[in-house]
Amino acid sequence: MKYRYAMVCSSNQNRSMEAHCLLKREGFEVSSYGTGTHVKLPGPSLREPNVYEFGTPYKHMYEDLRRKDPELYKRNGILPMLKRNLAVKTAPQRWQENATDGYFDVVLTFEEKVFDMVVEDLHNRDHVLLKPVLIINLEVKDNHEEAAIGGRLTLALCQELEATENWEDSIDDLIIAFERQHRRKLLYSISFY
């Protein structure tokens, strides 16, 4: 694979991790992140989410929720999701704290608010390398079914990018063709490292 990819959602739990898992399995060089201030997972009610710091190991979250209410968190898919996540990497990472991870060629986000945060963050960084980075938003609802669909669409999009000679020369045509084929609207921007 010729490009480095970053998958970014709010908490680095569901949408970004589903895509990270699929791309990693297919041999892509991929990382994943969240842009939120904390990692939030559903709790027993909307007013009682489970909140963790970024960097808290997925294994710790899994064991914590299994202790609290194993039936609830198995039924709502949180325990299986965390089990998948800990097979991919140790802990959720925050996008705004990833400068030491090097640069990415392509960043995919799964929510417009996250896209805006990534674009703003890249804009505010020192542009030492003047290396272009493509940021694409594929809007995906934050539930397990939509994350699975979003992961497959992300894989298809990344395979299309890999097949191009140079994404900078063909991005407009590639985006239009993808939108037509999959009936999904994409936002994209180009920034620099």
Side-chain angles (χ1 to χ4, degrees), residues 50-67:
N50 291 286
V51 180
Y52 302 95
E53 296 294 322
F54 277 94
T56 303
Y58 291 117
K59 184 176 175 120
H60 170 82
M61 293 178 209
Y62 180 86
E63 291 168 352
D64 183 45
L65 297 179
R66 197 170 64 176
R67 252 190 325 274

Side-chain angles (χ1 to χ4, degrees), residues 143-173:
N143 63 55
H144 301 298
E145 298 77 22
E146 287 295 318
I149 294 167
R152 289 190 300 273
L153 289 170
T154 299
L155 176 59
L157 181 58
C158 293
Q159 288 169 329
E160 289 290 326
L161 286 164
E162 287 290 327
T164 64
E165 191 65 37
N166 179 351
W167 67 255
E168 293 173 73
D169 296 334
S170 58
I171 190 59
D172 293 328
D173 293 336

Side-chain angles (χ1 to χ4, degrees), residues 6-193:
M7 306 292 125
V8 188
C9 67
S10 187
S11 288
N12 196 199
Q13 289 287 342
N14 188 26
R15 298 166 292 179
S16 63
M17 286 301 293
E18 179 68 25
H20 185 160
C21 183
L22 282 175
L23 268 68
K24 183 178 178 183
R25 192 179 313 142
E26 294 295 321
F28 285 81
E29 187 175 349
V30 61
S31 298
S32 60
Y33 303 92
T35 57
T37 53
H38 296 91
V39 174
K40 291 183 184 176
L41 293 172
S45 75
L46 286 175
R47 295 180 190 193
E48 301 174 90
N50 291 286
V51 180
Y52 302 95
E53 296 294 322
F54 277 94
T56 303
Y58 291 117
K59 184 176 175 120
H60 170 82
M61 293 178 209
Y62 180 86
E63 291 168 352
D64 183 45
L65 297 179
R66 197 170 64 176
R67 252 190 325 274
K68 288 180 180 178
D69 191 338
E71 284 306 308
L72 169 66
Y73 295 114
K74 186 175 183 182
R75 188 174 60 248
N76 70 7
I78 300 299
L79 289 179
M81 178 188 75
L82 289 169
K83 200 169 188 176
R84 174 207 61 208
N85 293 356
L86 61 90
V88 174
K89 67 182 198 176
T90 305
Q93 297 168 272
R94 192 161 184 259
W95 169 262
Q96 295 88 331
E97 297 162 4
N98 81 349
T100 59
D101 294 348
Y103 67 86
F104 295 97
D105 300 293
V106 180
V107 178
L108 273 107
T109 64
F110 302 99
E111 181 178 345
E112 190 170 349
K113 175 180 75 170
V114 172
F115 174 82
D116 292 341
M117 291 174 81
V118 168
V119 169
E120 181 180 348
D121 179 69
L122 286 170
H123 178 74
N124 291 330
R125 292 185 186 191
D126 291 333
H127 301 140
V128 182
L129 302 172
L130 292 180
K131 179 166 178 32
V133 56
L134 174 63
I135 308 112
I136 301 173
N137 185 68
L138 169 66
E139 198 69 26
V140 177
K141 289 181 183 166
D142 195 4
N143 63 55
H144 301 298
E145 298 77 22
E146 287 295 318
I149 294 167
R152 289 190 300 273
L153 289 170
T154 299
L155 176 59
L157 181 58
C158 293
Q159 288 169 329
E160 289 290 326
L161 286 164
E162 287 290 327
T164 64
E165 191 65 37
N166 179 351
W167 67 255
E168 293 173 73
D169 296 334
S170 58
I171 190 59
D172 293 328
D173 293 336
L174 190 143
I175 294 288
I176 290 166
F178 185 88
E179 289 176 336
R180 282 187 187 140
Q181 181 180 358
H182 298 285
R183 300 183 195 283
R184 292 280 188 128
K185 188 81 177 136
L186 301 177
L187 292 177
Y188 72 98
S189 180
I190 298 171
S191 190
F192 292 90
Y193 274 102

